[in-house]
Amino acid sequence: MEEPKSLSELVDDAHMALFIPLELRAPDKSLDRLENVLKEASTHGHPCPRDVLEFTFTEVYSKRTSRIKIPLEKDITISYIHEGEQRSVKMKITPLLTVFYDTESGNKDKIIPITYKNTILFPAVLSLLISEIKAEPADILIDDLLIIPHHVLWPKKECRFSTEGKELTLEEYLESLKTSLQSHLKVPNLSIKFIEEGRMFVVNLRLKEKALGSSESLRDVILESFPNEVYGLSVTDEGYHTVPKEYARRRMEEWSWTTRNYMLNVLSPVSIIQIKLNVDREGLEINRMNRCRTWEGYMKSQSRGSICEHGLYFKGEYIALTFSTFHALEDILKETVGRAIPSAELREGKSASQEDTVIDTVKELREFLEELYSLKATFNKFLDLLQPSKVSRIPEVTVALDKMYELRGLGSFSDSAREKIGDISEIIQAGSEIIEQNIENQRLHNLEFGLGLADTFPIGYLLERVGVLDFINSHFGTGLKMEDSIVLMVLAIIAWSAWRGRTLKEMERFEIKNFVEMCRTRVFS
């Protein structure tokens, strides 16, 4: 066989999925409607055979998510110039909407929302399944696959593509998806927010069966001969051919992750690329142990050429759903703290003069901390839902997911989540200390006032006995009596108490302003 000049010459089949994190918001009374839609549509929205799902992913993740198939299939054509030649890539896009549901109740149709101020907000992922990929002219090139997420997944106002004969930019296409999704869900006042952070894609490339010698490691061959093409596809870099080969190879070595000689997984900051030989895996991985039915079904499913192979689809979905969840929780945290900081920068439409209207009463502070307690519990709840160690019974999957988070700049999933929970805990602790100090100050203030009144009467009696009142009356002609002196002293104590109370109030406001500034720093920095 003649030595291939490019990886494209070896590609036999390709599958792809794009993942867009999003937030759905609606009035809390709309939750039942959303659950009804889920119940009607979820059974038709599964992208993979059940045996693949059950073997690759445990119930902890797979049974806590549900997919709604959105009847918005579209044929899309992307045209571009490749080495001076006009090329076009035609494909079919099938959208699926993934949400969390409550597994503890045993009711698959009960969505897990984040409740907030008479509003339900829940994280979701819109996955776009790419199938029936056809290129003109000739066979599929790596560039044809690279151009799909490059045009569809990230904002490129100058890039246009056609869907069913109509030219659209990415923004226009996403807007059409948003409108169609709102129409399909039929929920009044439903708002949909697409999130740019966390968007990613997965690609499954099946190479021709005899493309490489069976004794060779696919990883070694790819890293040696085709590092630039795989690098370009993994990060949608259309200029990959000008990247130094050693740089591309070094990146591939850092990002590669696999447990089989006939397969290579590349985990980049924005994608998971799976390259594998088109082999009979069941025949290749002969095992002398008796296989259970789940394993046999799983092995047979591998010949279907799906992006579900080795849990590829679910890894991409999981990562995107984690980003949308974090984004939703951070949004609520910022909105909650933002109400305590009604400055022009954080609350649109408010004047800068309202900067002084920060929380200035203990009652308001208590209400604020109660919201944070609830939000902390929500963070912990979703942290448990998304824990990588519970996603798969295969340890390498957990390693792969943690590696993806590190590449995306989040570091360890658990560390990032717990850092946010730590921020909330620190705010709650600081606020609680202010409340406790305020209660103590008020108690001491009331005690001082009471003792002052109690001392007034014996002091007045002593003033009369030592002749102080006679001295004042004879020199100033005031005609004071003992009862008058007591009244004056009571008034003086009241005036002192008012001044003292005002001073304490100013101290309280100063402490709360410092507290709010700390909130601003922890949440908005």
Side-chain angles (χ1 to χ4, degrees), residues 177-187 190-192:
L177 277 177
K178 184 183 297 185
T179 301
S180 300
L181 187 57
Q182 287 172 324
S183 174
H184 176 70
L185 295 178
K186 298 177 182 177
V187 176
L190 174 69
S191 67
I192 302 172

Side-chain angles (χ1 to χ4, degrees), residues 133 169 172 178 184 238 265 286 293 420 433 447 476:
I133 303 174
T169 62
E172 292 168 333
K178 184 183 297 185
H184 176 70
E238 69 273 29
N265 288 320
I286 296 175
R293 183 176 299 175
K420 190 61 62 178
E433 290 175 0
L447 180 62
F476 298 97

Side-chain angles (χ1 to χ4, degrees), residues 495-506:
W496 171 86
S497 178
W499 173 84
R500 173 69 170 159
R502 181 175 179 179
T503 302
L504 291 174
K505 189 67 174 178
E506 288 301 318

Side-chain angles (χ1 to χ4, degrees), residues 157-430:
K157 292 185 178 180
E158 68 277 10
C159 293
R160 305 188 70 84
F161 55 90
S162 64
T163 169
E164 298 173 343
K166 181 181 179 182
E167 279 203 344
L168 294 173
T169 62
L170 173 73
E171 288 81 1
E172 292 168 333
Y173 175 68
L174 290 182
E175 198 59 38
S176 70
L177 277 177
K178 184 183 297 185
T179 301
S180 300
L181 187 57
Q182 287 172 324
S183 174
H184 176 70
L185 295 178
K186 298 177 182 177
V187 176
N189 301 316
L190 174 69
S191 67
I192 302 172
K193 178 182 179 182
F194 289 106
I195 302 167
E196 183 170 349
E197 185 183 13
R199 293 182 187 181
M200 67 171 301
F201 63 98
V202 300
V203 179
N204 174 256
L205 289 181
R206 288 160 57 88
L207 305 186
K208 296 171 184 177
E209 185 175 358
K210 297 181 180 180
L212 302 170
S214 58
S215 62
E216 294 180 287
S217 165
L218 181 63
R219 177 185 183 276
D220 294 342
V221 173
I222 295 296
L223 264 59
E224 175 60 32
S225 303
F226 312 112
N228 285 60
E229 289 174 275
V230 182
Y231 168 79
L233 176 59
S234 65
V235 296
T236 66
D237 182 358
E238 69 273 29
Y240 65 85
H241 58 285
T242 64
V243 173
K245 196 170 186 177
E246 285 306 313
Y247 176 84
R249 183 178 291 116
R250 187 166 64 251
R251 278 286 179 259
M252 292 301 95
E253 289 173 349
E254 293 172 359
W255 297 345
S256 63
W257 171 83
T258 187
T259 59
R260 297 293 188 270
N261 280 335
Y262 60 83
M263 181 175 63
L264 168 65
N265 288 320
V266 176
L267 311 179
S268 89
V270 294
S271 70
I272 303 177
I273 310 297
Q274 185 178 96
I275 305 172
K276 62 177 293 186
L277 292 174
N278 190 0
V279 296
D280 176 11
R281 186 180 175 191
E282 189 175 13
L284 184 66
E285 296 196 12
I286 296 175
N287 194 318
R288 299 192 180 195
M289 297 176 64
N290 292 327
R291 297 172 184 160
C292 63
R293 183 176 299 175
T294 304
W295 171 256
E296 290 176 351
Y298 170 73
M299 295 296 285
K300 290 177 181 178
S301 71
Q302 299 305 288
S303 62
R304 299 175 186 177
S306 167
I307 59 167
C308 296
E309 293 184 16
H310 303 274
L312 187 62
Y313 174 90
F314 297 103
K315 292 185 185 77
E317 178 187 63
Y318 171 88
I319 291 169
L321 191 56
T322 301
F323 269 90
S324 63
T325 302
F326 266 43
H327 194 280
L329 291 171
E330 285 188 348
D331 270 1
I332 292 179
L333 178 58
K334 288 180 179 179
E335 289 175 21
T336 301
V337 174
R339 289 199 315 277
I341 316 171
S343 66
E345 302 83 44
L346 302 178
R347 295 186 69 179
E348 190 175 354
K350 299 293 184 180
S351 65
S353 62
Q354 291 181 293
E355 177 71 30
D356 291 334
T357 62
V358 295
I359 298 174
D360 57 2
T361 68
V362 173
K363 179 182 178 182
E364 290 174 344
L365 183 56
R366 285 183 188 277
E367 293 173 354
F368 174 56
L369 294 185
E370 286 175 3
E371 287 188 54
L372 288 180
Y373 272 117
S374 176
L375 187 56
K376 181 181 177 181
T378 302
F379 261 92
N380 280 309
K381 180 179 182 179
F382 279 94
L383 173 62
D384 180 67
L385 282 173
L386 292 166
Q387 193 64 250
S389 61
K390 297 181 179 180
V391 170
S392 174
R393 61 190 110 180
I394 303 174
E396 285 80 0
V397 174
T398 301
V399 174
L401 293 173
D402 270 331
K403 187 172 183 179
M404 285 296 299
Y405 286 115
E406 183 178 351
L407 291 169
R408 296 307 296 265
L410 281 180
S412 167
F413 169 83
S414 298
D415 290 346
S416 298
R418 297 192 186 285
E419 182 180 347
K420 190 61 62 178
I421 294 173
D423 288 343
I424 298 174
S425 300
E426 186 173 331
I427 293 172
I428 291 174
Q429 177 65 29

